[in-house]
């Protein structure tokens, strides 16, 4: 049963509660782009104001109104609906998307100006960046509030498109382009699985609407496969093993992109999807066990690799893989504690990890571009405010007391203890790794004195690049003291995923309960890991090296290279000659259609049937035999004039066939077309040099080429035969689409079907063609204006 908290008000205000945040979030990008096109100095105030307005609208919609919903028909034929709801789950992720988004946009106002200046690029290019960030924000708000699986898929792909351009923002750098393509392929290809899973559910239950699906689905192999496909799309997006390799590569993006997409938005969308369809997933224990295995593998792999990385953002990227592994692990544990802990973990992680990514960008900027941990150190004295704020964030991720992170681990331990067995020890291992690499990050940057030459070159970072980190640090401390509102939001989100009300509490307990014992063990074992680094660092680096040599990224690169080679080979065959090009189209089409017909053969029957021949059919059969003979005869003549005349006889013969079948208008059109084509061919032959015609008439094929040509001809002929035979063997449908057209004609305000078809269907088709031409004209004009076409 789907959990829906009662709302104090109904009607227009509840519609506005979800509609206002959605509209403001979706309008933020075009408004910013428009303002920036007028004057690039307007970009920052408009983008920051738009993001902040969307955040305040989400807070009002959930905190004051208690959520709301919109449900409008979209495509009634497919039972698609524009269904949006600001429930607990949507509110949590929408607040993160807009709140963290506002902080990142504000931070970018200074960071991006410096970034563009270092690269010698125009400040006006900041407009594109801010618009893309806000495009992602709007897509994220649409995604987390959508209730229709097809609508979810649409917004899912919009986030992928926005992330592609954001990761590849420095388009002049090869690493950025390669990383953007990798992220797009991994998350985009797996997005198809989301669509396949949604279609499987639609075929079985007749709806894409999740609230309806949760009421009618029945446990079984069909539901398990569909839910698994959707879950795989979520796991790939959240960079879980074995799809994790794209996230470290994505660190080629500017720091604000990493702070937003790769801590609170894009990877969060993956676990959001799991949370949204969790009522379907939890019907299968197999899927829950798979989530435990994948989540724990990501916790360990990400944690170990984070301990071996020297680049700041790489370390944080692997820690993100590990942290979202916690979330997947807790979803796999299940139960009210597991789902509530997962929701709270996403909230706490977004606050602290975005602050840490922003810290990495600020440190790199302040030290003249230094991004390696081994070259940094001793910066606390030079940047005390940044050191304190980022220290709070690091403490939050490491789950130290008085931070919001302490409660995320408390809930993790509670969920694992509720499940029992080996799971508390698995949770303990993940927590130890987290505290260890967080200490390595923060102490490596701000403590010690290992890189005095770097310290001497430090400049004071701009206040704009420190203020968001301070704000996030304050929220981390506030959550560690006043945890109630955060737990309340997590409980509301968990209630949607779990299917019933969830009431999990988080508080400090000065006793020896198991959660406290596990927390104490975490601090002790993490300290042991830190002081014994020289004994295990080689093993960690060796593990990373093995992953580079034989890990999934190597498989991805090999697969991409192999597919490129196959594509090149097919291209070379296709463009060799006209015969090869026709072959490359007809043979695969014949194989696919043949496989489709074989798969469609019903049990106990046949797709193909043979009817009787009546006396009145004999003239038609005679004409068809003559047409077939003419078609074969086309392959014999070598003289071009004879070839054109024989080929024309095929068309004129078909015109006679149309006349026999009672279609004189079609026959007349066929005759006119054949006359025009014959005259056109004759005109071309008259213009061609005589020497060329004589040379082509004398040309001959070798034995292998002739065999290939015959084979292609036979396969293509059989393909056409079976397509026509199979189509004519099917009984006529009892109802035609024409009946539906007749019925709907008055609704289209037309007096006859032809008028409606020409005005509506053909008119819409023409409009689409005009749009294609218009887009092409705009693209060519842009290239001409930039001087790229000479």
């Amino acid at each position: 049963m789907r959990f829906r908290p009662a709302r104090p008000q109904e009607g227009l205000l509840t519609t506005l509660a979800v509609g206002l945040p959605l509209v403001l979030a979706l309008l933020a990008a075009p408004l910013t782009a428009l303002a920036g096109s007028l004057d690039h100095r307007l970009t920052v105030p408009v983008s920051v104001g738009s993001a902040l307005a969307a955040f305040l609208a989400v807070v009002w919609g959930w905190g004051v109104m208690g959520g709301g919903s919109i449900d409008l028909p979209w495509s009634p034929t497919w039972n698609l609906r524009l269904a949006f709801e600001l429930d607990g789950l949507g509110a949590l992720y929408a607040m993160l998307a807009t709140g963290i988004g506002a902080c990142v946009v504000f931070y970018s106002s200074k960071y991006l100006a410096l970034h563009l200046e270092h690269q010698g690029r125009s400040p006006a290019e900041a407009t594109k960046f801010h618009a893309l960030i806000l495009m992602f924000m709007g897509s994220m708000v649409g995604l987390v509030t959508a209730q229709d699986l097809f609508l979810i898929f649409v917004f899912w792909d919009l986030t992928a498109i926005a992330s592609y351009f954001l990761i590849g923002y420095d388009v002049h750098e090869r690493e950025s382009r390669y990383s953007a393509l990798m992220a797009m392929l991994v998350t985009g290809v797996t997005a198809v699985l989301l669509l396949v899973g949604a279609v499987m559910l639609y075929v079985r239950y007749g709806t894409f609407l999740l609230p309806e699906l949760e009421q009618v689905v029945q446990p079984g192999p069909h539901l398990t496969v569909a839910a698994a496909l959707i879950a795989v799309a979520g796991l790939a997006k959240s960079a879980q093993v074995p799809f994790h390799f794209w996230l470290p590569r994505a660190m080629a993006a500017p720091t604000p992109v990493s702070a937003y997409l790769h801590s609170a938005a894009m990877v969060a969308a993956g676990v959001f999807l799991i949370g949204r369809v969790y009522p379907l997933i939890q019907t299968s224990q197999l899927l829950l066990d798979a989530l435990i295995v994948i989540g724990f593998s990501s916790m360990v792999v990400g944690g170990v690799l984070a301990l071996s990385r020297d680049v700041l953002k790489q370390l944080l990227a692997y820690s993100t893989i590990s942290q979202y592994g916690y979330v997947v692990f807790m979803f796999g544990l299940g139960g009210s504690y597991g789902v509530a802990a997962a929701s709270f973990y996403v909230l706490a992680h977004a606050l602290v990890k975005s602050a840490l990514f922003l810290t990495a960008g600020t440190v790199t900027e302040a030290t003249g571009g230094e991004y390696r941990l081994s070259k940094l150190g001793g910066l606390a004295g030079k940047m005390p405010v940044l050191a304190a704020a980022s220290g709070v964030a690091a403490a939050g991720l490491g789950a130290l007391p008085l931070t919001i992170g302490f409660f995320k681990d408390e809930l993790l331990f509670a969920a694992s203890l509720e499940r029992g067995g080996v799971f508390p020890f698995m949770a303990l291992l993940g927590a130890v790794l987290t505290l260890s690499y967080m200490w390595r990050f923060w102490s490596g940057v701000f403590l010690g004195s290992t890189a005095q030459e770097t310290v001497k070159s430090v400049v004071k970072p701009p206040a704009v690049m420190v203020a968001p980190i301070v704000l996030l640090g304050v929220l981390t401390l506030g959550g560690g003291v006043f945890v109630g509102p955060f737990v309340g939001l997590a409980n509301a989100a968990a209630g949607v995923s779990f299917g019933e009300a969830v009431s999990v509490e988080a508080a400090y307990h000065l006793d020896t309960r198991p959660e406290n014992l596990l927390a104490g063990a975490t601090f002790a074992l993490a300290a042991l890991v830190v002081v014994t680094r020289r004994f295990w660092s080689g093993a960690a680096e060796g593990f990373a090296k093995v992953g580079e040599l034989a890990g999934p990224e190597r498989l991805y690169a090999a697969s991409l290279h192999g597919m490129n080679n196959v594509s090149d080979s097919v291209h070379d065959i296709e463009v060799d000659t006209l015969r090869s090009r026709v072959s490359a189209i007809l043979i695969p089409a014949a194989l696919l259609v043949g496989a489709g017909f074989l798969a469609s053969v019903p049990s106990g029957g046949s797709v193909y049937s043979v009817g009787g021949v009546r006396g009145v059919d004999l003239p038609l059969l005679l004409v068809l035999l003559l047409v077939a003979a003419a078609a074969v005869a086309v392959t014999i003549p070598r003289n071009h004039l004879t070839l054109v005349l024989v080929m024309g006889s095929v068309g004129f013969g078909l015109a006679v066939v149309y006349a026999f079948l009672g279609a004189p208008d079609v026959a007349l059109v066929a005759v006119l077309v054949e006359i025009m084509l014959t005259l056109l061919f004759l005109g071309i032959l008259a213009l061609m040099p005589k020497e060329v015609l004589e040379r082509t008439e004398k040309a001959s094929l070798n034995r292998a080429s002739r065999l290939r040509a015959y084979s292609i001809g036979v396969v293509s002929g059989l393909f056409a035969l079976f397509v026509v035979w199979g189509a004519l063997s099917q009984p006529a449908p009892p109802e035609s689409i024409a009946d539906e057209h007749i019925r709907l004609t008055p609704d289209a305000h037309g007096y006859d079907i032809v008028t409606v078809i020409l005005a509506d269907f053909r008119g819409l088709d023409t409009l689409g063609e005009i749009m294609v031409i218009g887009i092409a004209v705009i693209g060519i004009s842009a290239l001409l204006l930039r001087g790229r076409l000479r």
Side-chain angles (χ1 to χ4, degrees):
M1 192 71 177
R2 185 175 175 83
F3 170 69
R4 292 175 180 273
R7 300 195 184 96
Q9 303 180 55
E10 297 293 339
L12 179 60
L13 285 178
T14 57
T15 300
L16 195 62
V18 62
L20 184 62
L22 183 61
V23 170
L24 289 177
L26 292 174
L27 287 179
L31 285 177
T32 299
L34 178 61
S37 65
L38 298 175
D39 187 342
H40 71 86
R41 291 171 295 184
L42 296 175
T43 297
V44 171
V46 173
S47 61
V48 174
S50 299
L52 189 58
F55 172 70
L56 294 176
V58 175
V59 172
W60 172 80
W62 176 252
V64 177
M65 298 303 304
S69 62
I70 297 174
D71 191 353
L72 301 171
W74 177 12
S75 177
T77 305
W78 288 1
N79 198 20
L80 296 176
R81 305 194 65 82
L82 291 173
F84 298 94
E85 182 173 352
L86 189 65
D87 53 14
L89 188 65
L92 187 151
Y93 285 90
M95 285 185 189
L96 291 180
T98 55
I100 301 296
C103 289
V104 169
V105 169
F106 180 74
Y107 176 93
S108 302
S109 63
K110 185 62 178 179
Y111 176 92
L112 200 64
L114 296 172
H115 181 78
L116 295 174
E117 181 182 346
H118 296 331
Q119 296 185 351
R121 297 161 67 181
S122 169
E125 293 189 43
T127 299
K128 174 185 174 182
F129 180 88
H130 284 266
L132 287 171
I133 283 279
L134 294 175
M135 174 184 170
F136 192 98
M137 182 189 75
S139 303
M140 190 72 181
V141 174
L143 171 66
V144 302
T145 55
Q147 297 292 308
D148 183 279
L149 277 174
F150 193 83
L151 196 59
I152 287 176
F153 172 76
V154 170
F155 283 108
W156 186 269
D157 269 4
L158 283 176
T159 62
I161 294 170
S163 67
Y164 171 78
F165 287 108
L166 285 168
I167 295 172
Y169 179 73
D170 294 329
V171 68
H172 57 284
E173 295 182 3
R174 182 181 181 278
E175 180 66 18
S176 295
R177 299 194 303 273
Y178 180 78
S179 301
L181 178 62
M182 178 184 287
M184 171 62 84
L185 288 177
V186 174
T187 61
V189 171
T190 53
V192 177
L193 302 181
L194 164 60
L195 182 59
V196 172
V199 171
M200 287 180 64
L201 295 172
Y202 173 79
V203 170
R204 174 65 64 90
Y205 301 106
T207 181
F208 286 105
L209 206 60
L210 277 170
E212 293 181 0
L213 286 171
E214 293 166 16
Q215 298 292 332
V216 300
V217 292
Q218 296 295 326
H222 187 275
L223 176 60
T224 299
V225 172
L229 292 173
I230 297 173
V232 169
L235 293 171
K237 195 94 160 183
S238 56
Q240 295 298 281
V241 171
F243 305 104
H244 63 284
F245 58 90
W246 71 265
L247 184 59
R249 283 281 189 175
M251 296 303 105
T255 294
V257 175
S258 303
Y260 186 44
L261 270 64
H262 308 138
S263 64
M266 183 176 180
V267 287
V271 292
F272 157 78
L273 182 63
I274 294 175
R276 181 61 81 190
V277 300
Y278 193 74
L280 310 182
I281 293 175
Q282 66 180 348
T283 60
S284 170
Q285 188 59 47
L286 176 63
L287 291 183
L288 294 179
D289 292 341
L291 291 181
I292 289 176
V293 172
I294 294 171
F296 181 71
S297 300
S298 301
M299 288 164 56
V300 175
V301 170
V304 172
L305 293 178
L307 287 170
S308 66
R309 299 296 90 178
D310 189 42
V311 177
L312 296 179
K313 288 172 62 178
Q314 291 279 318
L315 188 158
L316 294 175
Y318 281 112
S319 81
T320 299
I321 295 169
S322 180
Q323 294 300 300
Y324 278 101
Y326 278 87
V327 179
V328 174
F329 176 75
M330 287 183 282
F331 272 127
L333 291 177
S336 59
Y337 261 101
V339 179
S343 299
F344 187 85
Y345 214 101
V346 170
L347 176 59
H349 175 267
L351 291 176
V352 298
K353 183 57 68 64
S354 53
L356 293 171
F357 269 117
L358 296 179
T359 297
T362 302
V363 167
T364 301
E365 189 62 43
T367 56
E370 188 54 67
Y371 54 85
R372 291 166 297 177
L373 197 61
S374 60
K375 299 295 183 180
L376 296 168
L379 297 181
K382 297 285 185 176
M383 296 180 285
V385 176
L386 180 63
S390 62
V392 170
L397 194 60
L400 295 184
L402 298 181
T403 68
I404 194 173
F406 178 82
F407 299 108
K408 72 176 176 61
D409 272 17
E410 180 191 27
L411 294 177
L412 165 67
F413 294 145
S416 61
L417 288 166
E418 184 180 52
R419 186 72 181 268
V422 72
F423 298 113
F425 298 100
M426 298 166 71
L428 175 63
L429 176 58
V432 170
L433 289 172
T434 299
L435 185 54
S436 300
Y437 59 64
M438 271 301 95
W439 171 257
R440 178 169 179 260
F441 172 85
W442 188 82
S443 66
V445 173
F446 294 103
L447 300 184
S449 56
T450 56
Q452 290 300 323
E453 67 280 2
T454 302
V455 175
K456 292 177 182 177
S457 63
V458 170
V459 296
K460 184 179 179 181
V464 173
M465 295 175 62
V466 177
I469 303 171
V470 173
L471 174 61
L472 294 169
V474 170
L475 291 175
T476 302
L477 283 177
V481 178
F482 306 103
V483 71
F486 298 93
V487 174
L489 183 58
N491 281 335
V496 176
S497 298
F498 193 55
E500 60 184 62
V502 173
S503 181
V504 171
E505 296 182 355
Y508 295 106
H509 302 283
L510 301 178
D511 53 27
T512 57
R513 64 183 59 205
E515 294 92 326
N516 285 348
L517 294 178
L518 286 171
T522 298
F523 303 147
L525 291 175
L528 181 63
V529 170
V530 170
V531 299
T532 60
R533 175 175 175 79
R534 69 177 185 275
F535 296 107
W536 54 259
S537 59
E541 292 172 0
F543 178 77
K545 190 66 176 178
V546 170
E548 293 172 0
L549 295 175
E553 184 174 357
R554 178 58 64 91
L555 177 62
Y556 162 85
S559 301
L560 200 61
H561 183 68
M563 287 188 290
N564 266 332
N565 288 339
V566 171
S567 177
D568 291 341
S569 301
V570 172
H571 176 266
D572 292 341
I573 294 173
E574 184 180 354
V575 301
D576 184 24
T577 61
L578 178 60
R579 185 183 298 107
S580 299
R581 180 170 298 178
V582 173
S583 305
I585 296 172
L586 290 179
I587 292 179
L591 295 175
L592 289 173
V593 171
F597 275 115
L598 291 175
S600 64
V601 176
S603 58
S606 175
V607 173
Y608 311 103
S609 61
V610 178
V613 178
R614 299 171 300 173
V616 296
D617 295 329
L618 293 178
L620 177 60
L621 289 175
L622 179 61
V623 175
L624 288 173
L625 288 174
L626 291 175
V627 171
V632 174
V634 171
T635 64
I636 299 174
R638 304 187 65 82
N639 180 271
H640 291 85
L641 179 60
T642 306
L643 179 61
V644 169
L645 295 177
V646 174
M647 188 166 58
S649 66
V650 176
F652 289 119
L654 288 175
V656 176
V657 172
Y658 298 143
F660 270 115
L661 293 175
D665 52 344
V666 178
L668 178 60
V669 171
V671 169
L672 293 176
V673 169
E674 203 58 48
I675 291 174
M676 291 176 59
L677 288 176
T678 301
L679 293 175
L680 179 63
F681 275 122
L682 292 175
I684 292 173
L685 292 176
L687 294 174
M688 292 185 68
K690 183 178 179 180
E691 297 80 9
V692 174
L693 296 176
E694 292 176 350
R695 185 170 65 250
T696 56
E697 289 177 0
K698 296 177 182 178
S700 62
L701 298 174
N702 56 38
R703 184 175 180 181
S705 297
R706 285 200 302 273
L707 180 61
R708 183 177 66 178
Y710 295 151
S711 300
I712 294 171
V714 171
V715 170
S716 302
L718 290 175
F719 154 64
L721 169 64
F722 283 104
V723 168
V724 175
W725 189 4
L728 295 178
S729 297
Q730 302 304 309
E735 293 184 3
S736 171
I737 188 65
D739 299 329
E740 185 71 8
H741 287 165
I742 295 173
R743 186 181 67 83
L744 294 175
T745 295
D747 295 341
H749 308 289
Y751 294 101
D752 57 81
I753 302 173
V754 175
T755 300
V756 172
I757 291 176
L758 291 176
D760 285 2
F761 298 122
R762 290 299 302 159
L764 184 63
D765 183 37
T766 304
L767 176 63
E769 295 169 354
I770 293 172
M771 290 179 64
V772 170
I773 295 173
I775 292 172
V777 169
I778 292 172
I780 294 171
S781 300
L783 292 173
L784 288 171
L785 290 174
R786 291 175 175 267
R788 295 183 182 180
L789 292 181
R790 301 293 183 185

